[in-house]
Amino acid sequence: MWNRSFLILHGVENRRPEGHWERELAMDLRERGEQVFYPQLPDTDRPHLLDWTDAIRSELALMRGEKVVVAHSLACAAWMHLAAADAASANPFAADRVLLVSPPGPAAYDWDVIAGFSTAGLDLAALRLASKSVRLACSDADPYCTEGAAEHYGRPLGCDVDVIPGGGHLTPDDGYGRWPSALAWCLDEKERLVPNA
């Protein structure tokens, strides 16, 4: 019986490719005997918010023990919408720990493909109630969050923030294939997210 489980959530146009830090993280955790859920979210090229939140909720229902969620890019926005909806319900999903990596900023939602995921209007301060611990990892040079995720999301969420200097969108193209500190955080929430060497 597992005493914790991990849910890893990808972004738009991401088919969980080899070499992506999330795929490497899933494999590394499984090699350590951890229970890992790493679903392919529906319609990854033209996603719909309700389909993604329904899929995420279904995965959460399968998790046992401490529930740890790792979301990258558009999955962060889906998570925020899910958390906002469930925070007001009588039966919230209550993840224990959440790592949000490189959420898109307001200008990114001008792209019609992801416009329905816009976080405008969400009470970000209330979302901290949806889990016991939230960590934001972001770059100071993310082309998909030119507003700066640390300021735009970190401050209203009231969460710990790890800023990765020059990290771009934290993808393999930015040097984030295997990301040892993401694994370290999964195994111990006191670990900080740091740049790859």
Side-chain angles (χ1 to χ4, degrees):
M1 186 69 159
W2 284 287
N3 60 9
R4 66 183 171 191
S5 50
F6 296 87
L7 175 58
I8 301 173
L9 301 169
H10 64 78
V12 65
E13 297 182 341
N14 184 322
R15 291 176 182 77
R16 303 173 301 161
E18 288 186 30
H20 193 289
W21 67 265
E22 285 189 307
R23 183 176 176 131
E24 300 294 331
L25 177 61
M27 292 189 303
D28 288 344
L29 287 168
R30 287 173 178 156
E31 285 174 4
R32 285 166 172 74
E34 301 285 356
Q35 184 179 45
V36 179
F37 298 85
Y38 183 31
Q40 180 68 63
L41 295 171
D43 299 318
T44 188
D45 290 331
R46 293 200 68 85
H48 300 278
L49 178 61
L50 184 59
D51 292 343
W52 275 32
T53 54
D54 283 350
I56 294 167
R57 191 176 278 114
S58 294
E59 296 292 322
L60 284 163
L62 300 173
M63 298 172 73
R64 296 294 176 262
E66 180 189 24
K67 296 179 181 181
V68 182
V69 176
V70 177
H72 180 246
S73 193
L74 193 62
C76 296
W79 178 263
M80 291 178 205
H81 281 278
L82 182 62
D86 283 8
S89 76
N91 189 24
F93 55 81
D96 295 290
R97 288 195 285 141
V98 178
L99 175 61
L100 301 173
V101 179
S102 300
Y109 297 109
D110 289 345
W111 183 28
D112 68 316
V113 169
I114 66 169
F117 286 73
S118 173
T119 57
L122 290 181
D123 181 359
L124 297 180
L127 298 190
R128 72 185 75 158
L129 304 176
S131 66
K132 296 175 185 172
S133 172
V134 177
R135 176 79 61 86
L136 171 65
C138 58
S139 165
D140 60 358
D142 187 344
Y144 299 103
C145 191
T146 55
E147 301 82 2
E151 183 66 25
H152 185 75
Y153 292 109
R155 185 181 299 265
L157 283 170
C159 64
D160 278 342
V161 179
D162 294 323
V163 177
I164 310 299
H169 196 52
L170 299 171
T171 66
D173 289 344
D174 301 308
Y176 290 84
R178 179 166 272 111
W179 190 9
S181 67
L183 174 62
W185 178 87
C186 285
L187 299 176
D188 181 354
E189 66 181 309
K190 296 182 189 74
E191 294 287 337
R192 307 303 302 195
L193 281 291
V194 299
N196 274 350

